[in-house]
Structures are given as C-alpha cells and as structure tokens.
Amino acid sequence: IPRGGRQVTLLSVIAIIVAGLALTLTSILLVRTFVPRKLRGREQKRGIVFAFCGVIYALVVGFVLAFALQGYQQAESDAAIEADSVTSLSRSATLFDAESRDHIGHELICYARSVVNQEWPAMRSGDSSELTVAASDRLFHSFGSLGSTHSNDAALSGSLDRIREMDEARASRLIKSDQQLPAMFWVFMIGGGLLLIGYSTILSGRESFFGQILFIMPVSLLLLCSVYLVVVFEQPFKGPNAIKPAAMEVALESVDRFVPDPRADRPCP
C-alpha cells in the first residue's frame, strides 16, 4: 500500500473506532434514560429475535456490499481496458505511413492527457470533459480518414475495433463515476444498524457500564465498517480511496516513447 494510502487507512480506522465508541456511549445513555430497568436484560426470546434480525441485516448488507464492490472492480477494469486500447492504437499507428503515424500519435497523446488532467478530476462531481470528447472524435475521424486508402487493411479494421472498445470503456467509466445506490438501501443499512445497536443495548442493560461497552462496541464497529465500505465502493472515483488514473498515465508514457511525434509537446486543440 502506498504511504498516502496507509495514512488514509489509518485515519479511517481511527475515525471508525472513535465514532463507534461515541455511538455506543450514546446508545447506553439513551437506554438508561428512557428504558425502564425491568424491560432490560437477556431473556431467551429476546436473544432469538436479536439473532434473527442480525442474520437478516447481515444478508442485506452483504448483498449491497457485493453489488458496490462489483461496480468498483468494473470501474477499475474499464479504466484498464481504455488505457490498454490507447497503447494498442499507438502500436497500430506504426503500421501506417509516417505522416498518419505521427498524426494519430499526437491525437492519442491529446486524448490520454485530457483523460488524466481534465476528465478524471471532473468525475469527482459526476461530470465528463468536453476536451476528452473532442479528442475521441478527432481520433475516430483520423482512423476513419484512412479508410479511403486502406479500405481492406486488417490493421485499420483492428484499430477501429480498438477505438470502439476505448469508447465503450470510457462510457462505462463515466456511468460508474455517477452511480448511486437506491435510497432505501441506505435507510435499511443505517436504520437497521441503529435498531440492532439499540436492541443490543437493551439486552445488556443489566450489566455494568464497562460490560455494556464490551457487548455493544463490536455491533457499532461492524455497522460503521459496513457503511464505510459501501460508501467507498459505491463511488469509485470519489473520496480518499478513489481509483487513480494510473493505467492511463502508463499508457501516455508508452505512447510518448513508442510514437516519435515531433508535435507531442504542441498544445492540443
């Protein structure tokens, strides 16, 4: 894990522990204030209800977490496919004449730069970059214009397929940058978790203050960890654990080295 990632993880762990302790103490205070002592305690029927509710809650949270994790992994995969397409297109460009090669190489550099410098920051707010759209269009037209002289060329056909893959991966990446879980999932996770914490506080209501903390704290921490993980995976391009444009940065370096474009440092249109 990079040093910055370790710091973020450590701060997140500390924040979760502090929030879990605060949530536990608040629950104990509320139960001791508003629930009569005779209604507290671990009766057999109450334990069965608590176990049943805990299992249902765990199943739903597990389903939500798996859904969010799948979206996060798909976003990483889309970013990798897009970057791989850029690298492959730079290799395909060398199969054409020198002028076409340098022109396509320049368009690939412009596209990769716009993704890294403009579109990636814009995705934090769920937006895209007009510069990236324009660079993608120019790249498509650059390969399309070769059709008049390379109509039956296998290299051109493969390049067009790669452009299609790149556009599809980018579109999927943009969708993932603005995806949100239905509000009812959040209501269930947070509301259900608070109910479990309150119920566990009632079950331990006749124990000592320290004993209650030991009984309730794990429930609070599991609730907060579940919500935190869903938040992280639901928004793969936002927050301290956001996916970075590392794959596209590597692709940009590869294009710079592989395609000797004398116009590479020229500002992109």
Side-chain angles (χ1 to χ4, degrees), residues 53-235:
C53 293
V55 170
I56 297 300
Y57 182 80
L59 288 175
V60 175
V61 171
F63 170 78
V64 174
L65 185 57
F67 176 80
L69 177 59
Q70 183 181 18
Y72 188 92
Q73 292 174 330
Q74 184 62 50
E76 285 186 316
S77 177
D78 292 334
I81 291 173
E82 182 184 17
D84 181 64
S85 298
V86 170
T87 302
S88 297
L89 286 170
S90 70
R91 270 56 175 174
S92 299
T94 61
L95 300 176
F96 304 108
D97 59 273
E99 182 180 357
S100 298
R101 177 202 64 195
D102 290 342
H103 179 70
I104 291 172
H106 177 66
E107 298 298 347
L108 287 170
I109 290 173
C110 289
Y111 178 84
R113 285 177 178 173
S114 68
V115 169
V116 173
N117 299 323
Q118 277 82 39
E119 189 157 73
W120 219 271
M123 287 193 301
R124 296 170 187 166
S125 57
D127 297 326
S128 60
S129 170
E130 294 183 1
L131 292 177
T132 305
V133 175
S136 177
D137 291 342
R138 290 196 307 271
L139 190 58
F140 180 82
H141 289 307
S142 296
F143 275 102
S145 63
L146 295 174
S148 58
T149 56
H150 302 76
S151 57
N152 297 319
D153 197 318
L156 177 60
S157 176
S159 297
L160 293 176
D161 288 338
R162 278 296 186 176
I163 291 179
R164 176 183 55 79
E165 291 178 1
M166 185 186 73
D167 286 341
E168 289 177 353
R170 175 177 175 267
S172 181
R173 168 171 59 80
L174 292 175
I175 292 175
K176 295 294 188 300
S177 70
D178 197 32
Q179 70 175 5
Q180 293 182 346
L181 289 173
M184 284 305 300
F185 281 125
W186 289 110
V187 171
F188 179 87
M189 282 195 302
I190 297 176
L194 292 176
L195 287 175
L196 286 177
I197 292 173
Y199 201 47
S200 65
T201 307
I202 293 175
L203 291 178
S204 61
R206 295 180 184 177
E207 298 183 6
S208 64
F209 186 78
F210 183 71
Q212 282 187 293
I213 292 178
L214 292 179
F215 187 80
I216 304 165
M217 189 73 169
V219 181
S220 300
L221 292 178
L222 287 175
L223 165 66
L224 293 173
C225 287
S226 299
V227 173
Y228 174 76
L229 289 175
V230 172
V231 169
V232 169
F233 293 137
E234 182 204 22
Q235 300 292 336

Side-chain angles (χ1 to χ4, degrees), residues 15-29 197 217 220-221 224:
I16 288 174
I17 293 175
V18 172
L21 180 59
L23 191 58
T24 299
L25 295 176
T26 301
S27 180
I28 293 174
L29 177 62
I197 292 173
M217 189 73 169
S220 300
L221 292 178
L224 293 173

Side-chain angles (χ1 to χ4, degrees), residues 24-50:
T24 299
L25 295 176
T26 301
S27 180
I28 293 174
L29 177 62
L30 290 175
V31 169
R32 291 193 173 196
T33 302
F34 297 104
V35 179
R37 184 174 179 80
K38 64 181 180 180
L39 296 180
R40 308 176 209 165
R42 299 186 188 180
E43 297 182 4
Q44 184 177 4
K45 293 182 179 180
R46 293 180 180 179
I48 295 175
V49 173
F50 180 76

